[in-house]
mmCIF file of all heavy atoms in Angstrom:
data_model
loop_
_atom_site.group_PDB
_atom_site.id
_atom_site.type_symbol
_atom_site.label_atom_id
_atom_site.label_comp_id
_atom_site.label_asym_id
_atom_site.label_seq_id
_atom_site.Cartn_x
_atom_site.Cartn_y
_atom_site.Cartn_z
ATOM 1 N N SER A 1 1.392 -25.759 -5.164
ATOM 2 C CA SER A 1 0.288 -24.908 -5.602
ATOM 3 C C SER A 1 -0.401 -24.250 -4.404
ATOM 4 O O SER A 1 -0.727 -23.060 -4.431
ATOM 5 C CB SER A 1 -0.731 -25.733 -6.399
ATOM 6 O OG SER A 1 -1.849 -24.943 -6.747
ATOM 7 N N THR A 2 -0.589 -25.031 -3.346
ATOM 8 C CA THR A 2 -1.209 -24.496 -2.128
ATOM 9 C C THR A 2 -0.349 -23.406 -1.512
ATOM 10 O O THR A 2 -0.848 -22.348 -1.102
ATOM 11 C CB THR A 2 -1.430 -25.624 -1.096
ATOM 12 O OG1 THR A 2 -2.272 -26.623 -1.660
ATOM 13 C CG2 THR A 2 -2.071 -25.081 0.174
ATOM 14 N N ILE A 3 0.957 -23.649 -1.459
ATOM 15 C CA ILE A 3 1.877 -22.655 -0.904
ATOM 16 C C ILE A 3 1.854 -21.379 -1.732
ATOM 17 O O ILE A 3 1.853 -20.258 -1.193
ATOM 18 C CB ILE A 3 3.305 -23.232 -0.836
ATOM 19 C CG1 ILE A 3 3.373 -24.328 0.225
ATOM 20 C CG2 ILE A 3 4.328 -22.145 -0.536
ATOM 21 C CD1 ILE A 3 4.658 -25.094 0.223
ATOM 22 N N SER A 4 1.826 -21.522 -3.055
ATOM 23 C CA SER A 4 1.786 -20.352 -3.937
ATOM 24 C C SER A 4 0.532 -19.526 -3.687
ATOM 25 O O SER A 4 0.588 -18.292 -3.646
ATOM 26 C CB SER A 4 1.841 -20.785 -5.401
ATOM 27 O OG SER A 4 3.069 -21.400 -5.703
ATOM 28 N N GLN A 5 -0.594 -20.195 -3.509
ATOM 29 C CA GLN A 5 -1.843 -19.485 -3.247
ATOM 30 C C GLN A 5 -1.771 -18.725 -1.927
ATOM 31 O O GLN A 5 -2.190 -17.565 -1.837
ATOM 32 C CB GLN A 5 -3.010 -20.473 -3.222
ATOM 33 C CG GLN A 5 -3.328 -21.090 -4.582
ATOM 34 C CD GLN A 5 -4.409 -22.156 -4.487
ATOM 35 O OE1 GLN A 5 -5.023 -22.337 -3.433
ATOM 36 N NE2 GLN A 5 -4.641 -22.868 -5.572
ATOM 37 N N ILE A 6 -1.224 -19.382 -0.912
ATOM 38 C CA ILE A 6 -1.126 -18.745 0.403
ATOM 39 C C ILE A 6 -0.218 -17.520 0.346
ATOM 40 O O ILE A 6 -0.548 -16.443 0.863
ATOM 41 C CB ILE A 6 -0.600 -19.751 1.453
ATOM 42 C CG1 ILE A 6 -1.634 -20.852 1.683
ATOM 43 C CG2 ILE A 6 -0.278 -19.043 2.770
ATOM 44 C CD1 ILE A 6 -1.138 -21.995 2.546
ATOM 45 N N THR A 7 0.948 -17.670 -0.287
ATOM 46 C CA THR A 7 1.896 -16.562 -0.340
ATOM 47 C C THR A 7 1.399 -15.420 -1.215
ATOM 48 O O THR A 7 1.709 -14.251 -0.946
ATOM 49 C CB THR A 7 3.275 -17.033 -0.839
ATOM 50 O OG1 THR A 7 3.119 -17.744 -2.083
ATOM 51 C CG2 THR A 7 3.932 -17.942 0.180
ATOM 52 N N ARG A 8 0.620 -15.738 -2.257
ATOM 53 C CA ARG A 8 0.048 -14.666 -3.079
ATOM 54 C C ARG A 8 -0.927 -13.825 -2.268
ATOM 55 O O ARG A 8 -0.912 -12.592 -2.340
ATOM 56 C CB ARG A 8 -0.662 -15.259 -4.303
ATOM 57 C CG ARG A 8 0.271 -15.578 -5.461
ATOM 58 C CD ARG A 8 -0.508 -15.729 -6.762
ATOM 59 N NE ARG A 8 -1.441 -16.843 -6.713
ATOM 60 C CZ ARG A 8 -1.157 -18.062 -7.089
ATOM 61 N NH1 ARG A 8 0.055 -18.357 -7.539
ATOM 62 N NH2 ARG A 8 -2.065 -19.027 -7.037
ATOM 63 N N VAL A 9 -1.772 -14.501 -1.493
ATOM 64 C CA VAL A 9 -2.710 -13.775 -0.637
ATOM 65 C C VAL A 9 -1.955 -12.965 0.406
ATOM 66 O O VAL A 9 -2.289 -11.796 0.683
ATOM 67 C CB VAL A 9 -3.689 -14.756 0.050
ATOM 68 C CG1 VAL A 9 -4.538 -14.033 1.082
ATOM 69 C CG2 VAL A 9 -4.575 -15.433 -0.983
ATOM 70 N N LEU A 10 -0.909 -13.574 0.980
ATOM 71 C CA LEU A 10 -0.117 -12.893 1.995
ATOM 72 C C LEU A 10 0.592 -11.676 1.409
ATOM 73 O O LEU A 10 0.640 -10.605 2.036
ATOM 74 C CB LEU A 10 0.909 -13.868 2.583
ATOM 75 C CG LEU A 10 1.638 -13.446 3.856
ATOM 76 C CD1 LEU A 10 0.651 -13.131 4.963
ATOM 77 C CD2 LEU A 10 2.598 -14.538 4.310
ATOM 78 N N SER A 11 1.133 -11.823 0.203
ATOM 79 C CA SER A 11 1.801 -10.702 -0.460
ATOM 80 C C SER A 11 0.831 -9.559 -0.715
ATOM 81 O O SER A 11 1.150 -8.388 -0.486
ATOM 82 C CB SER A 11 2.409 -11.154 -1.795
ATOM 83 O OG SER A 11 3.478 -12.040 -1.603
ATOM 84 N N ALA A 12 -0.367 -9.911 -1.198
ATOM 85 C CA ALA A 12 -1.371 -8.890 -1.480
ATOM 86 C C ALA A 12 -1.794 -8.165 -0.198
ATOM 87 O O ALA A 12 -1.926 -6.935 -0.178
ATOM 88 C CB ALA A 12 -2.579 -9.516 -2.155
ATOM 89 N N ALA A 13 -1.977 -8.952 0.880
ATOM 90 C CA ALA A 13 -2.415 -8.352 2.147
ATOM 91 C C ALA A 13 -1.346 -7.429 2.726
ATOM 92 O O ALA A 13 -1.625 -6.277 3.083
ATOM 93 C CB ALA A 13 -2.765 -9.452 3.141
ATOM 94 N N LEU A 14 -0.105 -7.925 2.802
ATOM 95 C CA LEU A 14 0.972 -7.104 3.367
ATOM 96 C C LEU A 14 1.298 -5.927 2.464
ATOM 97 O O LEU A 14 1.581 -4.821 2.942
ATOM 98 C CB LEU A 14 2.215 -7.971 3.581
ATOM 99 C CG LEU A 14 2.097 -9.057 4.659
ATOM 100 C CD1 LEU A 14 3.382 -9.869 4.735
ATOM 101 C CD2 LEU A 14 1.788 -8.436 6.010
ATOM 102 N N GLY A 15 1.269 -6.162 1.139
ATOM 103 C CA GLY A 15 1.507 -5.060 0.211
ATOM 104 C C GLY A 15 0.446 -3.986 0.335
ATOM 105 O O GLY A 15 0.733 -2.790 0.263
ATOM 106 N N GLY A 16 -0.812 -4.418 0.537
ATOM 107 C CA GLY A 16 -1.895 -3.455 0.718
ATOM 108 C C GLY A 16 -1.735 -2.644 1.986
ATOM 109 O O GLY A 16 -1.985 -1.422 1.995
ATOM 110 N N ILE A 17 -1.295 -3.311 3.061
ATOM 111 C CA ILE A 17 -1.066 -2.598 4.325
ATOM 112 C C ILE A 17 0.039 -1.559 4.148
ATOM 113 O O ILE A 17 -0.073 -0.413 4.590
ATOM 114 C CB ILE A 17 -0.698 -3.588 5.446
ATOM 115 C CG1 ILE A 17 -1.904 -4.486 5.770
ATOM 116 C CG2 ILE A 17 -0.232 -2.860 6.698
ATOM 117 C CD1 ILE A 17 -1.592 -5.619 6.715
ATOM 118 N N ALA A 18 1.130 -1.973 3.471
ATOM 119 C CA ALA A 18 2.233 -1.043 3.245
ATOM 120 C C ALA A 18 1.819 0.096 2.319
ATOM 121 O O ALA A 18 2.300 1.227 2.455
ATOM 122 C CB ALA A 18 3.429 -1.789 2.647
ATOM 123 N N ALA A 19 0.915 -0.186 1.382
ATOM 124 C CA ALA A 19 0.469 0.846 0.437
ATOM 125 C C ALA A 19 -0.292 1.961 1.139
ATOM 126 O O ALA A 19 -0.391 3.086 0.605
ATOM 127 C CB ALA A 19 -0.396 0.223 -0.646
ATOM 128 N N ILE A 20 -0.837 1.679 2.323
ATOM 129 C CA ILE A 20 -1.531 2.724 3.078
ATOM 130 C C ILE A 20 -0.583 3.880 3.370
ATOM 131 O O ILE A 20 -0.969 5.056 3.316
ATOM 132 C CB ILE A 20 -2.109 2.148 4.391
ATOM 133 C CG1 ILE A 20 -3.211 1.138 4.065
ATOM 134 C CG2 ILE A 20 -2.650 3.252 5.282
ATOM 135 C CD1 ILE A 20 -3.766 0.415 5.275
ATOM 136 N N SER A 21 0.693 3.542 3.683
ATOM 137 C CA SER A 21 1.661 4.608 3.947
ATOM 138 C C SER A 21 1.933 5.424 2.690
ATOM 139 O O SER A 21 2.253 6.615 2.770
ATOM 140 C CB SER A 21 2.971 4.013 4.485
ATOM 141 O OG SER A 21 3.526 3.102 3.567
ATOM 142 N N LEU A 22 1.799 4.798 1.510
ATOM 143 C CA LEU A 22 1.935 5.549 0.255
ATOM 144 C C LEU A 22 0.787 6.540 0.096
ATOM 145 O O LEU A 22 0.994 7.670 -0.370
ATOM 146 C CB LEU A 22 1.948 4.584 -0.932
ATOM 147 C CG LEU A 22 3.316 4.137 -1.465
ATOM 148 C CD1 LEU A 22 3.133 3.120 -2.576
ATOM 149 C CD2 LEU A 22 4.104 5.327 -1.965
ATOM 150 N N ILE A 23 -0.400 6.113 0.476
ATOM 151 C CA ILE A 23 -1.551 7.018 0.401
ATOM 152 C C ILE A 23 -1.375 8.183 1.356
ATOM 153 O O ILE A 23 -1.664 9.334 1.024
ATOM 154 C CB ILE A 23 -2.854 6.244 0.717
ATOM 155 C CG1 ILE A 23 -3.083 5.177 -0.358
ATOM 156 C CG2 ILE A 23 -4.043 7.189 0.796
ATOM 157 C CD1 ILE A 23 -4.266 4.267 -0.075
ATOM 158 N N VAL A 24 -0.873 7.869 2.568
ATOM 159 C CA VAL A 24 -0.592 8.942 3.533
ATOM 160 C C VAL A 24 0.448 9.912 2.958
ATOM 161 O O VAL A 24 0.320 11.129 3.085
ATOM 162 C CB VAL A 24 -0.098 8.347 4.869
ATOM 163 C CG1 VAL A 24 0.350 9.455 5.816
ATOM 164 C CG2 VAL A 24 -1.194 7.515 5.517
ATOM 165 N N GLY A 25 1.478 9.339 2.304
ATOM 166 C CA GLY A 25 2.478 10.184 1.660
ATOM 167 C C GLY A 25 1.870 11.035 0.561
ATOM 168 O O GLY A 25 2.252 12.194 0.362
ATOM 169 N N GLY A 26 0.905 10.463 -0.179
ATOM 170 C CA GLY A 26 0.230 11.220 -1.229
ATOM 171 C C GLY A 26 -0.562 12.390 -0.671
ATOM 172 O O GLY A 26 -0.594 13.477 -1.267
ATOM 173 N N ILE A 27 -1.199 12.171 0.472
ATOM 174 C CA ILE A 27 -1.921 13.266 1.128
ATOM 175 C C ILE A 27 -0.942 14.367 1.506
ATOM 176 O O ILE A 27 -1.239 15.569 1.391
ATOM 177 C CB ILE A 27 -2.672 12.745 2.367
ATOM 178 C CG1 ILE A 27 -3.770 11.769 1.934
ATOM 179 C CG2 ILE A 27 -3.277 13.894 3.163
ATOM 180 C CD1 ILE A 27 -4.464 11.061 3.071
ATOM 181 N N GLY A 28 0.264 13.941 1.946
ATOM 182 C CA GLY A 28 1.305 14.936 2.258
ATOM 183 C C GLY A 28 1.703 15.736 1.031
ATOM 184 O O GLY A 28 1.901 16.965 1.105
ATOM 185 N N VAL A 29 1.815 15.053 -0.110
ATOM 186 C CA VAL A 29 2.134 15.749 -1.360
ATOM 187 C C VAL A 29 1.064 16.785 -1.679
ATOM 188 O O VAL A 29 1.364 17.936 -2.031
ATOM 189 C CB VAL A 29 2.253 14.739 -2.526
ATOM 190 C CG1 VAL A 29 2.333 15.473 -3.868
ATOM 191 C CG2 VAL A 29 3.480 13.854 -2.347
ATOM 192 N N MET A 30 -0.202 16.402 -1.557
ATOM 193 C CA MET A 30 -1.296 17.318 -1.861
ATOM 194 C C MET A 30 -1.279 18.532 -0.928
ATOM 195 O O MET A 30 -1.448 19.678 -1.370
ATOM 196 C CB MET A 30 -2.629 16.591 -1.741
ATOM 197 C CG MET A 30 -3.832 17.454 -2.106
ATOM 198 S SD MET A 30 -5.389 16.527 -2.122
ATOM 199 C CE MET A 30 -5.552 16.131 -0.389
ATOM 200 N N ASN A 31 -1.075 18.278 0.365
ATOM 201 C CA ASN A 31 -1.055 19.394 1.320
ATOM 202 C C ASN A 31 0.065 20.379 1.013
ATOM 203 O O ASN A 31 -0.138 21.600 1.039
ATOM 204 C CB ASN A 31 -0.902 18.855 2.750
ATOM 205 C CG ASN A 31 -2.156 18.146 3.237
ATOM 206 O OD1 ASN A 31 -3.247 18.396 2.743
ATOM 207 N ND2 ASN A 31 -2.004 17.256 4.204
ATOM 208 N N ILE A 32 1.253 19.845 0.730
ATOM 209 C CA ILE A 32 2.388 20.716 0.431
ATOM 210 C C ILE A 32 2.141 21.504 -0.857
ATOM 211 O O ILE A 32 2.459 22.695 -0.950
ATOM 212 C CB ILE A 32 3.680 19.890 0.310
ATOM 213 C CG1 ILE A 32 4.054 19.302 1.672
ATOM 214 C CG2 ILE A 32 4.815 20.742 -0.224
ATOM 215 C CD1 ILE A 32 4.329 20.325 2.753
ATOM 216 N N MET A 33 1.558 20.842 -1.867
ATOM 217 C CA MET A 33 1.289 21.525 -3.131
ATOM 218 C C MET A 33 0.231 22.603 -2.953
ATOM 219 O O MET A 33 0.314 23.682 -3.573
ATOM 220 C CB MET A 33 0.844 20.519 -4.190
ATOM 221 C CG MET A 33 1.917 19.509 -4.575
ATOM 222 S SD MET A 33 3.482 20.244 -5.072
ATOM 223 C CE MET A 33 2.967 21.185 -6.497
ATOM 224 N N LEU A 34 -0.770 22.365 -2.109
ATOM 225 C CA LEU A 34 -1.783 23.397 -1.840
ATOM 226 C C LEU A 34 -1.155 24.595 -1.139
ATOM 227 O O LEU A 34 -1.482 25.751 -1.445
ATOM 228 C CB LEU A 34 -2.918 22.804 -0.984
ATOM 229 C CG LEU A 34 -3.862 21.836 -1.701
ATOM 230 C CD1 LEU A 34 -4.806 21.177 -0.704
ATOM 231 C CD2 LEU A 34 -4.654 22.557 -2.789
ATOM 232 N N VAL A 35 -0.254 24.332 -0.194
ATOM 233 C CA VAL A 35 0.467 25.425 0.475
ATOM 234 C C VAL A 35 1.305 26.185 -0.542
ATOM 235 O O VAL A 35 1.375 27.427 -0.520
ATOM 236 C CB VAL A 35 1.361 24.866 1.603
ATOM 237 C CG1 VAL A 35 2.280 25.952 2.139
ATOM 238 C CG2 VAL A 35 0.511 24.292 2.719
ATOM 239 N N SER A 36 1.933 25.435 -1.452
ATOM 240 C CA SER A 36 2.766 26.056 -2.471
ATOM 241 C C SER A 36 1.936 26.957 -3.379
ATOM 242 O O SER A 36 2.370 28.044 -3.760
ATOM 243 C CB SER A 36 3.464 24.975 -3.301
ATOM 244 O OG SER A 36 4.287 25.544 -4.283
#
């Protein structure tokens, strides 16, 4: 149970960090669409 709690927090933290690149990609989508 302790390990599951630790890995869930770790997954959320690392997933959140990786999701930042998705947001950056989304900004790229918006910029390209505005140019379009």
Side-chain angles (χ1 to χ4, degrees):
S1 176
T2 301
I3 291 171
S4 295
Q5 292 175 8
I6 293 172
T7 53
R8 277 198 297 269
V9 172
L10 193 57
S11 292
L14 293 178
I17 293 172
I20 294 175
S21 59
L22 265 176
I23 296 174
V24 173
I27 295 173
V29 170
M30 183 174 67
N31 289 337
I32 293 299
M33 295 307 299
L34 287 172
V35 170
S36 181

